[in-house]
């Protein structure tokens, strides 16, 4: 067995002992868990985060887990964030760790982080303000997830969603449309931006979502109905035509 294989086996064995409650999470076990948080294997990282949750649940060891939030490795920071949140620790440091993870490449991490963000943001207005800032300024992945977070929190700032409709990233635009639909936006700016989107967006999925949302939030507008009628009559995209027809069917 190579040194690398031996190290891996030792880490997995330490994780198993903590997971099964067979041994207290002593310093050696914690060190193994921390090493596993940054492992190449997603499964090992998942197990490490679960084991670290058991560590974080012990009051005398919470500080040790919190110190990992400053680790230079983003995967380790996320593992500590996840463990602390699962253990019921509510702090701005945990919230910031979850915000940071919204921009991860791994979609599973992003959605898990969003659940933490939304749960913690409900408690303090300053956290909602941080989420709004991220929805304006973050990378595409982070901005998209921040928009979904604001949607789930039912934050009625229509300007944020309207501005995001003009993002270069289709995922961000879809998240913005989702927020406008959830809020049943009433502003003419939001409606006008949706009209532009449904008529000019380069992504077929975005156009369909915009058409469906126009029907939901502005079907009584003569201008919007004219746009939807034109799409229904002339578009070659069958799904877009159906979305427009559903919008027109609303009173």
């Amino acid at each position: 067995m190579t040194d690398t294989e031996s190290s891996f086996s030792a880490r997995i064995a330490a994780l198993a002992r903590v997971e099964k409650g067979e041994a207290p999470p002593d310093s050696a076990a914690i060190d193994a868990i921390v090493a596993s948080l940054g492992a190449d294997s997603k499964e090992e990282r998942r197990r490490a985060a679960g084991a670290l949750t058991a560590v974080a649940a012990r009051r005398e060891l919470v500080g040790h887990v919190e110190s990992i939030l400053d680790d230079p490795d983003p995967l380790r920071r996320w593992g500590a964030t996840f463990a602390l949140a699962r253990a019921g620790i509510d702090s701005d440091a945990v919230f910031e760790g979850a915000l940071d993870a919204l921009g991860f490449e791994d979609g599973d991490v992003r959605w898990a982080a969003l659940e933490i963000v939304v749960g913690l943001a409900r408690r303090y207005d300053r956290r909602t303000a941080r989420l709004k800032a991220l929805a304006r300024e973050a990378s595409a992945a982070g901005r998209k997830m921040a928009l979904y977070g604001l949607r789930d929190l039912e934050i009625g700032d229509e300007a944020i969603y309207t501005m995001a409709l003009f993002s270069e990233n289709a995922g961000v635009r879809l998240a913005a449309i989702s927020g406008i639909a959830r809020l049943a936006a009433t502003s003419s700016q939001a409606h006008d931006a949706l009209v532009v989107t449904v008529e000019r967006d380069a992504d077929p999925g975005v156009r369909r979502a915009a058409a469906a949302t126009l029907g939901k939030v502005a079907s009584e507008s003569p201008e919007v109905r004219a746009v939807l009628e034109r799409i229904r009559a002339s578009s070659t995209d069958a799904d877009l035509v159906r979305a427009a027809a559903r919008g027109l069917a609303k009173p």
Side-chain angles (χ1 to χ4, degrees):
M1 180 180 294
T2 67
D3 289 343
T4 299
E5 292 170 334
S6 176
S7 176
F8 172 77
S9 297
R11 293 200 308 271
I12 293 299
L15 290 178
R17 288 194 297 272
V18 175
E19 288 174 325
K20 296 176 182 178
E22 295 176 351
D26 55 20
S27 59
I30 294 173
D31 287 345
I33 292 169
V34 172
S36 290
L37 290 174
D40 292 335
S41 165
K42 188 173 182 177
E43 174 62 18
E44 184 178 351
R45 296 197 302 270
R46 184 195 63 77
R47 291 184 63 183
L52 195 63
T53 301
V55 177
R58 298 171 64 111
R59 181 172 300 179
E60 72 275 17
L61 296 175
V62 167
H64 193 111
V65 180
E66 289 176 329
S67 70
I68 306 171
L69 294 174
D70 295 323
D71 195 284
D73 186 331
L75 288 174
R76 292 182 180 180
R77 293 199 303 272
W78 161 242
T81 297
F82 178 83
L84 289 163
R86 287 285 299 273
I89 305 301
D90 179 357
S91 70
D92 287 344
V94 172
F95 180 73
E96 290 294 329
L99 276 185
D100 182 61
L102 293 181
F104 273 41
E105 291 185 7
D106 188 324
D108 290 339
V109 170
R110 292 199 304 270
W111 288 104
L114 183 65
E115 183 178 353
I116 294 171
V117 165
V118 170
L120 296 182
R122 294 186 190 280
R123 304 180 186 183
Y124 298 102
D125 288 344
R126 67 177 182 275
R127 292 177 179 168
T128 301
R130 287 284 294 117
L131 193 57
K132 285 184 177 182
L134 198 67
R136 294 187 180 97
E137 302 166 2
S139 64
R143 190 179 185 189
K144 177 182 73 174
M145 300 309 294
L147 288 165
Y148 282 128
L150 293 173
R151 178 204 65 183
D152 292 349
L153 290 164
E154 298 185 347
I155 302 301
D157 192 335
E158 294 181 16
I160 291 179
Y161 303 107
T162 301
M163 180 174 63
L165 282 175
F166 299 99
S167 166
E168 294 182 356
N169 182 272
V172 171
R173 300 196 299 276
L174 284 171
I177 293 169
S178 176
I180 290 171
R182 175 74 65 88
L183 293 171
T186 59
S187 72
S188 60
Q189 290 86 354
H191 297 174
D192 291 347
L194 282 173
V195 167
V196 171
T197 301
V198 78
E199 292 187 319
R200 302 180 187 175
D201 200 280
D203 186 284
V206 174
R207 289 199 304 274
R208 294 165 193 156
T213 300
L214 268 176
K216 177 179 180 180
V217 304
S219 61
E220 76 289 350
S221 164
E223 293 81 6
V224 167
R225 294 188 70 84
V227 170
L228 295 178
E229 286 280 14
R230 186 164 62 251
I231 290 170
R232 186 173 66 171
S234 62
S235 178
T236 58
D237 182 334
D239 290 329
L240 181 58
V241 169
R242 281 191 288 270
R246 286 193 296 270
L248 288 165
K250 296 181 181 298

